[in-house]
Amino acid sequence: REVVRVVTPGTVLDSNLLDAKDNNYLASLYPSGEGFGLAFLDISTGDFFMAEVAGVHSLAELDTVLARFVPREIVLPKGHQPDDGVTELLRQYTQAINFAEDWTFDRDTALRTLLDHFKVASRDGFGVNGMKAGISAAGAAIRYIEETQKTGLSNIYRIRPFLARASMVLDASCQRNL
């Protein structure tokens, strides 16, 4: 027999297992030297966002962005073992932390994955120019979904940038506990 689909917390499609009023985001997190590239993908709705956080406050910004999306699952590169502070932060949002092959986060590979998925020749129309770490996270997210779902992802037809500094979560701790 062949594996038809792998169900993980971030790839659930069964409406009996999903809360109709909440998104079911899979987060892809790519640590870069300056901060983190992030992608948030809900395969049940097709919502797909890309973000980057960087600088001296990158951990606080990461917390803010995670609070906005509240992912059910987080995917990291296999070769990256987050430090205790990052691991503790991620576990505040989900216990489902999984790893994907490092090559899926490679910037060129991730960009090619996105271009192929959206059937475009360049990333110019995405509105995400300059988001290099975000591209790595987004391409890896698409690849992870393709590998686990084994089906077309036709409902994911656009990616939108999420600008962490342009958004404000008023009470992240309350949102996390809902």
Side-chain angles (χ1 to χ4, degrees), residues 1-23:
R1 297 189 85 144
E2 183 180 336
V3 175
V4 196
R5 183 173 42 144
V6 177
V7 178
T8 66
T11 63
V12 172
L13 286 171
D14 185 344
S15 59
N16 295 326
L17 300 173
L18 293 173
D19 187 340
K21 59 187 181 231
D22 291 331
N23 283 92

Side-chain angles (χ1 to χ4, degrees), residues 6 8-9 16 30 45 63 70 89 91 95 117 122-123 133 162:
V6 177
T8 66
N16 295 326
Y30 178 70
T45 64
D63 188 20
V70 191
L89 175 61
R91 295 230 183 266
Q95 294 300 306
H117 173 76
S122 82
R123 66 178 168 205
F162 179 80

Side-chain angles (χ1 to χ4, degrees), residues 92-169:
Q92 289 178 19
Y93 293 95
T94 183
Q95 294 300 306
I97 297 174
N98 292 309
F99 295 89
E101 296 296 330
D102 290 342
W103 63 267
T104 64
F105 288 87
D106 172 75
R107 188 170 301 126
D108 292 334
T109 302
L111 179 58
R112 175 59 35 212
T113 299
L114 291 170
L115 296 176
D116 289 348
H117 173 76
F118 292 112
K119 296 174 181 50
V120 295
S122 82
R123 66 178 168 205
D124 293 342
F126 296 158
V128 296
N129 285 337
M131 295 179 88
K132 295 175 182 176
I135 293 279
S136 294
I142 287 286
R143 181 74 69 157
Y144 183 81
I145 295 295
E146 288 173 345
E147 290 175 4
T148 58
Q149 298 308 289
K150 314 269 189 223
T151 62
L153 302 172
S154 60
N155 68 322
I156 302 166
Y157 59 88
R158 72 177 176 172
I159 186 166
R160 293 180 283 175
F162 179 80
L163 304 174
R165 292 185 177 141
S167 301
M168 179 172 57
V169 176

Side-chain angles (χ1 to χ4, degrees), residues 55-111:
V56 291
H57 301 292
S58 63
L59 206 53
E61 282 187 40
L62 177 60
D63 188 20
T64 299
V65 175
L66 290 170
R68 162 59 179 88
F69 290 95
V70 191
R72 301 279 201 268
E73 177 179 6
I74 300 172
V75 178
L76 297 163
K78 242 183 204 177
H80 175 75
Q81 293 302 317
D83 65 40
D84 291 340
V86 173
T87 300
E88 185 178 319
L89 175 61
L90 299 179
R91 295 230 183 266
Q92 289 178 19
Y93 293 95
T94 183
Q95 294 300 306
I97 297 174
N98 292 309
F99 295 89
E101 296 296 330
D102 290 342
W103 63 267
T104 64
F105 288 87
D106 172 75
R107 188 170 301 126
D108 292 334
T109 302
L111 179 58

